[in-house]
Amino acid sequence: MTRTLPLTYPAPVRRLTDPSPAAIEAAAVTLVAAFDNPTTRACNGEASEGIDIVRQRATLIEAIIDPRMEVLVIEEEQDVAALVFIIPPEFKRRPVDSLAPHNAALAALVTPELEAVGKKLDTALAQLKLDTFGPAVNEMYSIGRLATSPGHQRKGLGRILLDVILDRARNENRDIALVTPTPSVRDWYLRMGFHIHGKLDIELRVASLSSRRLMKELADIKGNGTPTGIALVSADNMEEWVFTIQVLGDETVYRGETFALRIRFGERYPIEYPEVTFLAHGQYKPPMHPHVYTNGHICASILGPEWSPVLNAVSVCITMQSMLASCKKKEWPKGNDSYVARAPANPKHTRWEYHDDTV
């Protein structure tokens, strides 16, 4: 199977293709700074021994001159602020002496000892992925390293690089497999929409139908926007999004009001409908409506028997906007107080009765 690498990348990302000493040194410094710390060494054990400039230089040169791999970087003030290794499907490590015409440069940096360590780690990692994912792992992309220099962290640079890989995987309908034993790194990937897979609690992949679908929905929203009166205000992960909704027109009883709709997605979305509530705290209050309770729970058949997998997050917002637009009188549902007093935290656990579709 072959693939065509993109000729351009979204700014400020570029592909590192220069194996010059200066370029290698800058990237190697970032790798060492990001990975050579007590937490990583404690989690990786013996595998992390010898994390130094020499080893990282060797790794970078191998990746840069192997046309099957990509090293993407973001540079700030002449520093490599962040970088990522993208490993393509069906990738197998080549012997160093096969990577002509750069044999001389490699021979000086990739010592037999380092190459032996690399082969040992690659073999163990490949077997771990095969045991966890099965033969399907050969069809997945892998993230070899994703590192942000300590001085450039918390700027969203890692997310920018990850989005490039996610877009690639989504366009080719592939999954992404990676292994990370570091708890803080694992938690970051979970927030980015990855899922723990396997018994080891360190195998992660973007493999669920939910993640794929939501990445497509988010791309559609970014590319095409949302309907008038509806805005996406929060989509930091693939588990919970928040939209604001305004009802249009001068005749609406909600003129000038803005409501916030929270949508939580389960792993079986869109086969199963999401958890949808109006926010009832902070600057937002739920709309006073016969089908909306003061805790934000909503009684609507679209969030039950009339749900269809062809619907999406924006469809839900449009339905809620239409439901509010048809309301002629502000009032809470009958039995609001008793329901709120005993309501489950998740409205999907409520047995709703749908008998009034006039508002």
Side-chain angles (χ1 to χ4, degrees):
M1 182 177 295
T2 61
R3 66 194 178 98
T4 302
L5 300 179
L7 298 178
T8 60
Y9 298 89
V13 179
R14 75 175 183 88
R15 185 180 181 189
L16 187 62
T17 57
D18 177 16
S20 67
I24 295 297
E25 189 73 13
V29 167
T30 295
L31 284 172
V32 170
F35 289 111
D36 190 18
N37 57 73
T39 301
T40 300
R41 287 195 295 270
C43 291
N44 289 339
E46 294 182 0
S48 67
E49 291 182 2
I51 294 180
D52 54 25
I53 290 290
V54 173
R55 181 174 167 187
Q56 300 309 321
R57 285 192 196 121
T59 302
L60 282 160
I61 287 182
E62 285 188 83
I64 291 170
I65 67 179
D66 190 330
R68 300 168 301 165
M69 291 184 65
E70 293 170 88
V71 180
L72 306 185
V73 299
I74 296 177
E75 296 169 316
E76 290 190 0
E77 300 176 355
Q78 298 183 336
D79 292 334
V80 175
L83 62 85
V84 66
F85 288 54
I86 304 179
I87 303 175
E90 301 177 343
F91 178 83
K92 292 183 179 179
R93 187 187 184 96
R94 292 178 179 177
V96 172
D97 57 11
S98 71
L99 296 176
H102 300 277
N103 296 1
L106 282 172
L109 293 174
V110 186
T111 65
E113 292 78 14
L114 284 175
E115 186 175 10
V117 170
K119 287 181 178 179
K120 182 177 180 180
L121 291 174
D122 284 351
T123 300
L125 191 58
Q127 188 61 50
L128 178 61
K129 290 181 178 179
L130 183 62
D131 292 343
T132 303
F133 297 116
V137 73
N138 294 322
E139 298 296 323
M140 300 177 185
Y141 278 103
S142 292
I143 299 175
R145 286 173 172 81
L146 197 162
T148 302
S149 174
H152 296 280
Q153 292 176 358
R154 300 189 181 279
K155 296 181 180 180
L157 302 183
R159 177 61 185 266
I160 292 173
L161 291 173
L162 183 61
D163 282 344
V164 173
I165 308 173
L166 294 178
D167 287 343
R168 176 84 57 79
R170 183 181 66 249
N171 291 337
E172 297 183 15
N173 197 30
R174 295 185 185 274
D175 295 334
I176 299 175
L178 66 97
V179 173
T180 174
T182 311
S184 60
V185 176
R186 178 197 63 192
D187 292 343
W188 184 82
Y189 278 107
L190 289 174
R191 293 196 300 272
M192 295 301 106
F194 283 64
H195 296 274
I196 294 176
H197 186 81
K199 298 179 180 179
L200 296 175
D201 200 40
I202 60 173
E203 287 283 349
L204 308 175
R205 67 171 179 172
V206 176
S208 72
L209 176 63
S210 172
S211 293
R212 289 183 182 178
R213 169 64 176 268
L214 289 170
M215 285 190 291
K216 182 179 184 303
E217 289 188 32
L218 191 58
D220 289 342
I221 292 173
K222 290 180 178 179
N224 303 317
T226 52
T228 304
I230 297 172
L232 177 63
V233 296
S234 175
D236 296 332
N237 53 55
M238 297 301 168
E239 298 175 358
E240 178 180 306
W241 294 358
V242 176
F243 293 82
T244 55
I245 296 177
Q246 294 178 320
V247 183
L248 307 178
D250 295 333
E251 303 300 323
T252 175
V253 296
Y254 302 105
R255 182 179 180 182
E257 297 184 65
T258 300
F259 308 103
L261 194 71
R262 182 183 65 200
I263 304 179
R264 288 176 171 169
F265 308 96
E267 291 188 1
R268 287 185 53 78
Y269 174 84
I271 303 302
E272 293 183 357
Y273 62 92
E275 175 191 336
V276 181
T277 57
F278 281 103
L279 292 185
H281 55 79
Q283 69 182 99
Y284 296 108
K285 303 297 180 183
M288 182 180 289
H289 186 280
H291 292 172
V292 181
Y293 292 80
T294 53
N295 62 355
H297 288 194
I298 306 164
C299 178
S301 56
I302 189 179
L303 304 177
E306 293 187 10
W307 172 260
S308 168
V310 302
L311 299 173
N312 56 36
V314 172
S315 301
V316 172
C317 293
I318 293 173
T319 300
M320 295 298 105
Q321 187 185 52
S322 176
M323 182 184 78
L324 296 179
S326 65
C327 182
K328 303 302 181 183
K329 180 182 178 181
K330 286 185 175 182
E331 58 182 353
W332 295 117
K334 294 180 180 179
N336 173 80
D337 293 344
S338 61
Y339 170 75
V340 171
R342 57 179 174 79
N346 186 344
K348 294 179 67 174
H349 297 157
T350 297
R351 292 186 178 182
W352 299 105
E353 294 183 3
Y354 310 101
H355 52 76
D356 181 9
D357 59 0
T358 61
V359 292

